[in-house]
């Protein structure tokens, strides 16, 4: 034993679970417990609310659901022989006769028994989060002790502010902090998480492990990228983004203890032990764990490469699409291909997510479809290797005009006739969906959706809106990224080069109705994502009239967004649960009166 | 003065405000302040968050919005000469340099100055409410004192539990409690509110006034029915349901003081004055109020008649429809009339809400429309006195079948062809909406929406879903109610008598696909509104197979509801913000495995 360093082997199970899939989640958790035991880990951790999937939303209001989660937890706990397992689950405390309080819990199991449950202390109730709708906040920053070594568990939000971790280290004497998260992605979030975890480690002279869920759930993508950071804030290990992984690391406990002792100025706890909050797990061997004297081949820590800014957005869109399609039981998807850039990008992402054999491009030309657009859609489909079909809308459109001619008598053509075309396409795509069981992917981008430049039940008709949170300017960056990745024009240059058009009337251009996207997108970002006021935007140099027009368009089209399909959040504030605006809303919508 | 009773005249302004309409809300509030002064009231109260409208949702995240609300409040406060005014508004405390905390505030103004702000203590964050998303909770159950008399203000949720009111009476010595609410309607809520207010009065030997907002806001209707209850729990005054009113009552302060003194067993505060929480308003006259010696003709209190169970649901639907249409700037509405009961009820409600001159019935017959249905739609329209137009879908439908014949080759007709018809109708209605500026009202009821018996972008296409929270069996009760009210078959008996059918294929009946509504509706109520489990429902005697089928249908159609238009909540749990279920959700959706 002499000379051997005491290490603690932690396995972070960055798994892709599914909301409500209690059987599937159970099987995956047990499978990973077995893998961790084979890897001779001392502890395995699973993400926040693993048993239920995250976020379970109002399933949590069903007592039967919470009860079944608890049954699954009991089964899983019995599988933990020879190690410690930390598992997120909804924890109902109290007997059915009393008031039952629900907590966002982390079960701590050891060698087949449930030892303790940590209750999440900080409950996020902003942005996409509604945790105060469901959970009571815990109030005990407890720590765990095994063989004289102390570590602590906390859950997601708990680590984003200094308090909980500081309590666990200062009063509790924890050397290692394990945070189990289900932290949703937006662009740049991974780096932000890494900086935050490093700060928490340095503040406390503690090793910090952050385990994050991976996978898509409705509008959210969980990006994984679990982290282990040393007490000096340096990265020890990192799991990949957007993939499952079992990130296993040896944490050198002697090193941390030595480091902490040597830092005289440090206030990090050196045994100031608040016994009331310490959950004792016994000695290593009593705990059913590996004998410390037994040799274990040391692990080489893995630091996965991070994707580029655009690369990670692409990764999020691919995973979000794949998981929405598959978890909802679909095999194939249909996409209306117009020859424009938005439908091209959606097709590319669908192919990356599902393979070309599962993507059907549907061309629905009209009298306003240019030859170039038809050629571009054809050429893109060939490059992607996807099946296509052509269903022209001309005859149907003529029939609508005939049928409506009596009631429309004396009226000039206007946007009505444009919308009729878009809705014919929506109807045709949905007919294909009904007949063949394909999920329809819609192609609207965030710029269009923000200002309502879309036809409700027309181009917005479909099950999943892949790029609904991607501004148009970023759509172009994604095209560039994919063409660079492909080493050539996977997306034909003419698609990228041409001026955007809905092709619903002769010579139509998006800029007939909208400011250029280079001007529009920053205003949308300032107004929607940053909640800046008209005055702030004007003071920052945006054109006053353009700002007023954009604000008006954004608020006037809330009703369209309320009926739009879900799609993947990639920005700090997506339309959806992130931004809950009234439809009936006269703020700045009327001319100033009085 | 001798022999004169000391009274406190409270005017409850049960007003219809609009979210975001700061100018309009300001004008209405000032108008009512003038009316109250003319009525020689000592105090006028306005509902919770009057300045902003309720619920302002994420408008509250815009600093500029909160700032403008404060500006409006300042203007309103200057109008309060000669009386006290209590006005709900979003209250930002702190300087922009520090952290600004937002409270759900009640401004207490007196004779032109702001005296104090009460901060709502209990913030609802369940059901349709998200108040913890926006507000910090207050923690001071303060009271107000004028001329030695104490009263207290609290806000909505604060009065639904005993604690806050008890503190204001026991520690604060308040004789009168004034609660300003924006309490949304569901069937029976008014009576529940009255029982609760009576209980609060009796517990505390205090007079209780509950002022409620009136009006429709997206999916919510605020039903008014403001109340004043004496310390023995008896109703002193009640404003009407679903209408604006200025409910003015004289509260006999001597009587309350005497009553309180005489009840030896009562623990209600008799001068146990916690000075820290008392906001002094001075003496009556110093406060700029009426001289107590001056004669004031006593008021006869008004107790408005309550509507019947079905009558109040009708009232909620009418007000909710009128306000959604008008506040969103529409004049006229279009309704697809099928000859069935759902579209008949929606047409009747639209006529009650907007007048027959603003309702257009659109008949869109197909090869499957029975002659009886066509006759019924025609006859209903005549009775309602609404304009109709007929736009047959036959030619367009044939053209769809032709166009799709190539890609559908070898496939049998199925539900696809049914949905195509419904979506043609959706497209036609939206074309009329686009061309003429009419809002389309959809006609789907809660039973259909619960089990997904509808065509997305077809019969669900439209701006507002009037009866989306009305189960089919209640649709029939509404028809009976309206015919009784009309003293004859306003809705033709044949519409009520015939078996429900979508008429999308030959001899189709709803019962081909669904259990009879008398069986379906109670299961939906148990499962959706009461969150009962499969096992609980089976134990209560529901057929096991039917329960399983209904649960499966409800959960499988969440994606349709996510894209459905908003509509009026009338049950304890409506689809919408009330029930936040994941779309991707495998709970009970897979065959039991393992």
């Amino acid at each position: 034993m002499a000379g051997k360093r005491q290490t603690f082997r932690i396995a972070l199970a960055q798994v892709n679970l599914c909301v409500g899939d209690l059987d599937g989640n159970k099987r995956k958790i047990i499978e990973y417990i077995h893998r961790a035991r084979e890897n001779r880990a001392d502890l395995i951790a699973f993400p926040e609310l693993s048993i239920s999937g995250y976020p379970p939303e109002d399933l949590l209001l069903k007592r039967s659901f919470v009860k079944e989660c608890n049954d699954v937890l009991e089964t899983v706990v019995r599988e933990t022989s020879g190690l410690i397992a930390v598992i997120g689950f909804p924890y109902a405390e109290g007997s059915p006769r009393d008031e039952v309080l629900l907590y966002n819990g982390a079960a701590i199991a050891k060698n087949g028994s449930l030892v303790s449950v940590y209750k999440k202390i900080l409950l996020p109730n902003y942005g996409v989060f509604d945790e105060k709708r469901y959970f009571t906040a815990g109030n005990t920053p407890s720590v765990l002790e095994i063989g004289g070594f102390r570590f602590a568990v906390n859950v997601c939000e708990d680590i984003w502010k200094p308090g909980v971790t500081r309590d666990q280290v200062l009063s509790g004497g924890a050397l290692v902090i394990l945070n189990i998260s289900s932290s949703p992605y937006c662009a740049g979030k991974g780096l932000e998480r890494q900086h935050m975890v490093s700060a928490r480690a340095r503040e406390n002279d503690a090793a910090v492990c952050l385990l994050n869920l991976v996978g898509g759930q409705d509008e959210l993508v969980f990006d994984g990228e679990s982290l282990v950071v040393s007490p000096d804030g340096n990265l020890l290990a990192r799991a990949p983004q957007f993939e499952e992984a079992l990130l296993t690391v040896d944490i050198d406990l002697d090193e941390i203890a030595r480091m902490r002792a040597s830092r005289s100025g440090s206030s990090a706890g050196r045994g100031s032990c608040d016994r009331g909050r310490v959950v004792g797990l016994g000695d290593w061997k009593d705990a059913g764990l590996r004998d410390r004297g037994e040799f274990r081949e040391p692990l080489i820590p893995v630091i996965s490469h991070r994707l580029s800014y655009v690369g990670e957005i692409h990764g999020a869109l691919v995973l979000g699409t794949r998981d929405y399609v598959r978890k909802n039981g679909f095999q194939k998807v249909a996409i209306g291909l117009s020859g424009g850039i938005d439908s091209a990008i959606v097709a590319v992402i669908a192919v990356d997510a599902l393979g070309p054999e599962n993507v059907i491009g549907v061309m629905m030309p009209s009298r306003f479809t240019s030859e170039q657009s038809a050629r571009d859609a054809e050429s893109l489909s060939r490059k992607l290797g996807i099946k296509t079909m052509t269903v022209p809308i001309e005859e149907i459109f003529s029939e609508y005009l005939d049928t409506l001619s009596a009631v429309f008598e004396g009226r000039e053509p206007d946007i009505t006739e444009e919308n009729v075309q878009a809705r014919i396409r929506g109807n045709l795509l949905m007919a294909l969906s009904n007949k063949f069981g394909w999920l329809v992917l819609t192609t609207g981008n965030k710029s269009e959706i923000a200002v309502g430049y879309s036809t409700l039940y027309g181009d917005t008709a479909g099950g999943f809106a892949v790029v609904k949170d991607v501004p148009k300017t970023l759509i172009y960056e994604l095209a560039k990224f994919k063409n660079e990745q492909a080493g050539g024009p996977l997306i034909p240059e003419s698609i990228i080069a041409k001026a955007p058009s809905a092709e619903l009337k002769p010579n139509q251009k998006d800029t007939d109705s909208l400011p250029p996207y280079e001007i529009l997108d920053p205003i949308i970002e300032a107004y929607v994502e940053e909640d800046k006021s008209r005055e702030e935007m004007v003071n920052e140099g945006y054109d006053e009239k353009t700002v007023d027009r954009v604000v008006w368009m954004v608020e006037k089209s809330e009703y369209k967004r309320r009926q739009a399909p879900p799609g993947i959040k990639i920005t700090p504030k997506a339309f959806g649960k992130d931004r809950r605006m009234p439809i009936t809303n006269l703020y700045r919508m009327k001319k100033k009166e009085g």
Side-chain angles (χ1 to χ4, degrees), chain A:
Chain A
M1 281 287 287
K4 282 253 178 61
R5 305 194 82 116
Q6 194 176 212
T7 60
F8 191 49
R9 181 166 291 180
I10 289 194
L12 303 177
Q14 177 175 302
V15 280
N16 191 337
L17 303 164
C18 182
V19 167
D21 187 10
L22 305 189
D23 278 322
N25 296 346
K26 177 181 72 185
R27 281 198 306 273
K28 183 162 278 180
I29 291 168
I30 291 173
E31 174 202 329
Y32 272 76
I33 290 173
H34 290 294
R35 283 178 57 185
R37 193 162 37 228
E38 280 161 26
N39 292 353
R40 309 181 70 175
D42 298 312
L43 180 150
I44 180 162
F46 294 92
E48 179 180 18
L49 294 176
S50 292
I51 303 276
S52 55
Y54 187 93
E57 301 188 73
D58 279 9
L59 283 171
L60 292 172
L61 304 183
K62 297 187 178 291
R63 285 183 310 261
S64 57
F65 178 76
V66 173
K67 165 77 171 62
E68 287 178 52
C69 286
N70 194 65
D71 295 346
V72 168
L73 179 75
E74 287 182 8
T75 306
V76 167
V77 164
R78 285 195 293 272
E79 299 286 330
T80 60
S81 69
L83 42 57
I84 302 166
V86 176
I87 307 149
F89 78 114
Y91 174 49
E93 194 178 58
S95 75
R97 261 178 269 170
D98 309 324
E99 200 191 1
V100 175
L101 297 178
L102 193 65
Y103 296 92
N104 186 333
I108 291 119
K110 186 205 69 180
N111 201 24
S113 305
L114 182 67
V115 179
S116 173
V117 178
Y118 173 87
K119 302 167 192 164
K120 187 175 184 178
I121 294 172
L122 301 179
L123 299 175
N125 205 67
Y126 54 81
V128 300
F129 302 109
D130 279 316
E131 291 199 15
K132 290 182 183 172
R133 181 175 173 89
Y134 308 109
F135 297 116
T136 301
N139 55 19
T140 310
S142 53
V143 302
L144 299 146
E145 185 176 277
I146 181 160
F149 151 65
R150 290 192 184 178
F151 67 103
V153 169
N154 57 38
V155 181
C156 208
E157 191 83 356
D158 288 337
I159 204 159
W160 284 85
K161 289 184 176 167
V164 173
T165 306
R166 188 162 54 211
D167 275 356
Q168 292 175 319
V169 170
L170 267 184
S171 315
L175 298 184
V176 175
I177 300 292
L178 166 63
N179 175 272
I180 62 169
S181 282
S182 288
S183 172
Y185 174 77
C186 66
K189 184 80 168 284
L191 271 184
E192 190 190 348
R193 229 181 265 127
Q194 189 172 321
H195 292 146
M196 177 277 293
V197 167
S198 290
R200 226 47 4 108
R202 281 193 307 270
E203 287 158 21
N204 295 292
D205 287 337
V208 178
C209 311
L210 183 149
L211 163 65
N212 192 20
L213 181 69
V214 74
Q217 169 64 26
D218 288 352
E219 302 214 304
L220 302 181
V221 169
F222 300 90
D223 50 335
E225 201 183 346
S226 300
L227 303 164
V228 181
V229 166
S230 66
D232 55 9
N234 288 328
L235 193 62
L236 288 177
R238 181 169 60 202
Q241 295 165 283
F242 311 113
E243 284 172 31
E244 288 200 326
L246 184 61
L247 185 71
T248 310
V249 285
D250 287 332
I251 295 177
D252 186 333
L253 303 182
D254 297 331
E255 165 95 22
I256 302 174
R258 190 187 50 70
M259 183 183 271
R260 208 173 267 193
S262 76
R263 297 214 189 163
S264 53
S266 165
S267 61
R270 280 179 293 271
S272 61
C273 309
D274 175 349
R275 300 273 355 155
R277 292 178 179 181
V278 178
V279 178
L281 305 182
D283 212 337
W284 297 98
K285 211 174 163 184
D286 306 338
L289 271 67
R290 182 184 72 89
D291 184 340
R292 292 288 110 177
E294 190 187 318
F295 178 73
R296 186 162 66 175
E297 192 73 46
L299 291 169
I300 316 277
V302 174
I303 300 191
S304 295
H305 171 73
R306 297 195 81 256
L307 299 165
S308 69
Y309 181 81
V310 178
E312 71 170 41
I313 290 168
H314 171 261
L317 296 173
V318 168
L319 177 58
T321 301
R322 182 189 302 133
D323 276 6
Y324 191 86
V325 173
R326 292 278 182 263
K327 290 178 179 179
N328 282 291
F330 289 90
Q331 196 63 32
K332 293 176 190 259
V333 295
I335 303 166
L337 290 186
S338 67
I341 183 109
D342 296 331
S343 58
I345 284 293
V346 171
V348 166
I349 288 163
V351 166
D352 288 347
L354 308 163
E357 67 282 10
N358 290 316
V359 180
I360 294 96
V362 184
M363 269 89 102
M364 295 172 286
S366 79
R367 62 185 79 170
F368 305 119
T369 305
S370 67
E371 275 182 45
Q372 182 64 47
S373 290
R375 269 200 307 275
D376 285 342
E378 199 54 69
S379 134
L380 173 78
S381 305
R382 262 198 319 276
K383 293 199 181 196
L384 293 178
I386 62 174
K387 192 180 147 185
T388 62
M389 49 179 64
T390 301
V391 189
I393 69 164
E394 195 50 42
E395 302 298 319
I396 298 173
F397 182 45
S398 298
E399 204 54 63
Y400 271 98
L401 295 181
D402 280 1
T403 297
L404 287 165
S405 60
V407 288
F408 283 1
E409 209 190 323
R411 301 267 176 163
E412 290 299 307
D414 56 15
I415 198 167
T416 306
E417 287 74 14
E418 299 181 40
N419 285 331
V420 167
Q421 295 167 64
R423 293 193 179 108
I424 292 169
R425 293 194 174 107
N427 198 342
L428 291 170
L429 282 171
M430 292 306 295
L432 295 171
S433 168
N434 283 165
K435 192 63 92 183
F436 301 111
W438 305 334
L439 184 78
V440 175
L441 300 182
T442 66
T443 63
N445 60 61
K446 187 175 196 172
S447 313
E448 289 176 1
I449 289 165
V451 295
Y453 192 66
S454 62
T455 301
L456 191 55
Y457 323 129
D459 50 312
T460 69
F464 199 60
V466 174
V467 291
K468 79 177 268 193
D469 198 33
V470 182
K472 187 80 172 191
T473 46
L474 184 53
I475 295 275
Y476 285 102
E477 288 185 61
L478 280 165
K480 224 170 73 186
F481 167 83
K482 280 304 298 184
N483 281 0
E484 277 166 17
Q485 201 182 49
L490 177 72
I491 298 169
E493 284 299 340
S494 59
I495 291 183
I496 299 175
K498 73 180 144 200
S501 166
E503 293 197 333
L504 293 169
K505 62 178 182 181
N507 305 313
Q508 190 173 32
K509 298 274 169 294
D510 288 10
T511 46
D512 301 344
S513 311
L514 303 179
Y517 289 110
E518 314 83 73
I519 291 175
L520 179 61
D521 282 357
I523 297 178
I524 292 172
E525 186 177 340
Y527 183 66
V528 173
E529 290 172 30
E530 297 164 16
D531 271 319
K532 284 191 178 154
S533 70
R534 180 189 172 285
E535 286 66 28
E536 286 171 291
M537 290 186 280
V538 171
N539 287 342
E540 284 174 17
Y542 294 108
D543 176 62
E544 190 166 349
K545 277 192 181 161
T546 310
V547 164
D548 282 344
R549 197 167 138 231
V550 172
V551 167
W552 188 87
M553 286 191 289
V554 169
E555 296 311 342
K556 263 300 177 202
S557 50
E558 184 60 30
Y559 77 99
K560 287 191 189 180
R561 288 189 289 272
R562 201 65 69 88
Q563 296 189 44
I568 303 156
K569 170 182 162 76
I570 62 139
T571 69
K573 192 183 283 196
F575 294 115
K577 283 200 292 181
D578 237 0
R579 187 175 190 268
R580 307 180 186 178
M581 291 294 277
I583 296 177
T584 305
N585 168 17
L586 291 187
Y587 183 53
R588 293 200 175 286
M589 285 295 114
K590 297 200 299 187
K591 294 248 181 295
K592 273 252 191 286
E593 290 157 302

